[in-house]
Amino acid sequence: MSLIEEACAWLAQDPDPDTLAELAALLEREDMVALHDRFGAKLEFGTAGLRGELGAGPNRMNRVTVMRAAAGLAEVLGPGKHVVIGYDARHKSDVFARDTAAVLTGAGLHASLLPCPLPTPVLAFAVRHLGADAGVTVTASHNPPRDNGYKVYWGDGSQIVPPIDSEISAAIDAVGRVDELPLHDPGTLTELGEGIIDDYIAAVTSLPLGDARDLKVAYTPLHGVGAATLTGAFLAAGFDSPMAVEEQRDPDPDFPTVSFPNPEEPGAMDLAIALAAKQGADLVLANDPDADRCAVGVPLPDGSCRMLTGDEVGGLLGEHVIIHTTGDRMVATTIVSSTLLSKIAQAHGVRYGETLTGFKWIIKAGPGLVFGYEEAIGYSVGSNTGLPVRDKDGIGAALTVAAIAAAAKREGRTLLDLLDDQARRYGLHATSQLSFRVADLSLIANAMSRLRANPPAVLGGRTVEQVDDLNKGEGGLPPTDGLRYRLSGDARAVVRPSGTEPKLKCYVEVVVPVKGEVSDARTQATHALDALKTDLSTTLGL
């Protein structure tokens, strides 16, 4: 069909007056560029589900796209199966969640709908807690306001992995017109009460939190859905209610106070840091909009704040969990995260796993997993009974970080002192990132081809001692497009294309033994990281 014919066919089945009006306007003015953008490609369903800009057409997030995804999931699961559905507070999230429920129940499945916009970890928890066969949450996490997404979990409470994603994708492609789908059998839909939130809070407050509770916390949910659940968890655990940034406390799908609703982005934490300085807070915490990630900062006497990296928080949480659990257990992180967790695990006689990037892989690292993290500020904290959430959990992580900080405060110390302790024990593990955003994805493919054809011999003044092509399934991992360089002097660089953005990302690490002051080691590490990033930038030519 021509673009015009495809657009008209879409109009005939679209139940949403907003996208109907959008598409009708494009057709009326014959805007072929805009039509090609919407109909010249389609959002691909993968292990991260769907994510994209809101709008009409198969290359946008909309009610037709969501209903097709739900119909594909229903086909793979089959009648009689149980699916839990959650959603955040983004534009159309509640509509997409109810459309999903209508399609699933119409196909003979049972659907349980969470009671209100809630953090993604609540949905991941609910899947296992309710013994469901799968879960869906409607969220675009920390993407821009114009985006939304659709993430699928399997019955073990973790995100789907191959080949399930391919099976669902194929089933989606076979779906016909959505206005011909049978919809909504009221007898097979359950609207859950707030008891599921209480059950989640009970699970995360059973984590190893110690007994120190004297702590003032400044907090921001960045206009997302984290505030109510996090506050409930803190109060249930015996902490004072965190001081929330008023301008960012309530859900707002337009994210008016930040240019990008990601706590790692420049400026996103400014209001929380200012609140901490004004109120004399001991700790700064933030969740991203769906509260599956957690950012941590330590206020300084001059009113500024030292934001911790994901690797630093991962090291603190990992050692805390190891110390407070017993028996044969495992901790895990990814190939692009710091090697510090492996040293901590070895020192404590605990098994260690290293996986591809993404929590869908971390969760499958092996039996007895009590802690997992990825450097992009995502953590899952467990106890002797395992992980309450088999995915990133920004609420459980925030609660545990607060417990660690409160215990340190009782001894007149902060998280920064604990980081220095780890540096003295294991060496200073310093990490950094370099990324290149491109408009033409072929630039990334060409850069990776050049690196494979002509690998560098030296990076940052360090000899390249070994090159691991991750496309070959190094170390028993599934093949993935990436290169890992092992460098002289205990350093490393990993180069890989992003799985969710048009970016080429570089992850660098240097390990510096601490022989005197930790601050001297940090200065040395900063210079070494800068040299590595400079050479990588030159080598890549982007």
Side-chain angles (χ1 to χ4, degrees), residues 218-463:
Y219 167 72
T220 176
L222 289 181
H223 300 292
V225 296
T229 306
L230 180 136
T231 299
F234 268 66
L235 293 174
F239 286 97
D240 288 341
S241 177
M243 302 175 289
V245 174
E246 185 174 348
E247 302 94 321
Q248 298 172 335
R249 180 186 59 209
D250 297 328
D252 188 329
D254 293 318
F255 307 106
T257 67
V258 290
S259 56
F260 203 89
N262 180 349
E264 292 185 292
E265 289 291 322
M269 296 297 299
D270 287 356
L271 291 176
I273 292 169
L275 176 64
K278 180 179 179 180
Q279 298 296 333
D282 305 304
L283 187 68
V284 176
L285 295 172
N287 289 131
D288 64 339
D290 70 328
D292 65 347
R293 303 198 303 157
C294 175
V296 179
V298 178
L300 301 177
D302 65 359
S304 64
C305 182
R306 160 85 146 82
M307 296 303 299
L308 274 57
T309 68
D311 285 319
E312 289 174 328
V313 177
L316 292 176
L317 285 172
E319 190 152 34
H320 172 85
V321 172
I322 289 171
I323 289 171
H324 291 88
T325 54
T326 57
D328 181 29
R329 57 212 189 278
M330 170 181 268
V331 295
T333 189
T334 74
I335 55 173
V336 302
S337 300
S338 172
T339 58
L340 173 60
L341 187 61
S342 66
K343 313 280 180 58
I344 294 172
Q346 182 180 25
H348 290 276
V350 170
R351 287 181 293 114
Y352 168 77
E354 195 167 283
T355 75
L356 297 183
T357 56
F359 251 83
K360 59 184 178 288
W361 300 115
I362 292 173
I363 291 302
K364 292 173 172 55
L369 189 67
V370 293
F371 175 71
Y373 93 94
E374 58 184 0
E375 48 73 38
I377 62 173
Y379 321 92
S380 185
V381 179
S383 65
N384 277 332
T385 57
L387 298 171
V389 177
R390 291 174 59 81
D391 193 25
K392 299 186 293 291
D393 179 9
I395 307 293
L399 198 58
T400 309
V401 167
I404 297 171
K409 181 183 178 182
R410 189 160 59 186
E411 298 176 0
R413 311 180 82 216
T414 72
L415 297 182
L416 301 183
D417 297 307
L418 302 187
L419 290 175
D420 285 351
D421 290 347
Q422 285 191 330
R424 295 184 187 98
R425 285 197 296 271
Y426 307 113
L428 176 66
H429 290 62
T431 58
S432 188
Q433 274 192 50
L434 184 67
S435 65
F436 303 91
R437 181 180 290 273
V438 298
D440 181 358
L441 286 175
S442 68
L443 294 174
I444 291 177
N446 292 339
M448 294 300 292
S449 295
R450 287 197 305 272
L451 285 177
R452 287 188 168 97
N454 298 292
V458 176
L459 286 172
R462 297 167 185 263
T463 303

Side-chain angles (χ1 to χ4, degrees), residues 43-50 150 152 160 164-166 168-169 360:
L43 296 181
E44 295 293 340
F45 186 95
T47 53
L50 295 164
Y150 195 87
V152 178
I160 57 171
I164 297 170
D165 58 336
S166 298
I168 297 173
S169 182
K360 59 184 178 288

Side-chain angles (χ1 to χ4, degrees), residues 48-64:
L50 295 164
R51 193 175 292 186
E53 186 176 347
L54 291 163
N59 201 31
R60 294 287 190 273
M61 283 296 299
N62 50 64
R63 294 182 66 184
V64 176

Side-chain angles (χ1 to χ4, degrees), residues 72-90:
L73 176 61
E75 176 65 24
V76 171
L77 285 169
K81 296 298 176 67
H82 180 199
V83 182
V84 188
I85 304 164
Y87 56 100
D88 66 10
R90 284 178 176 266

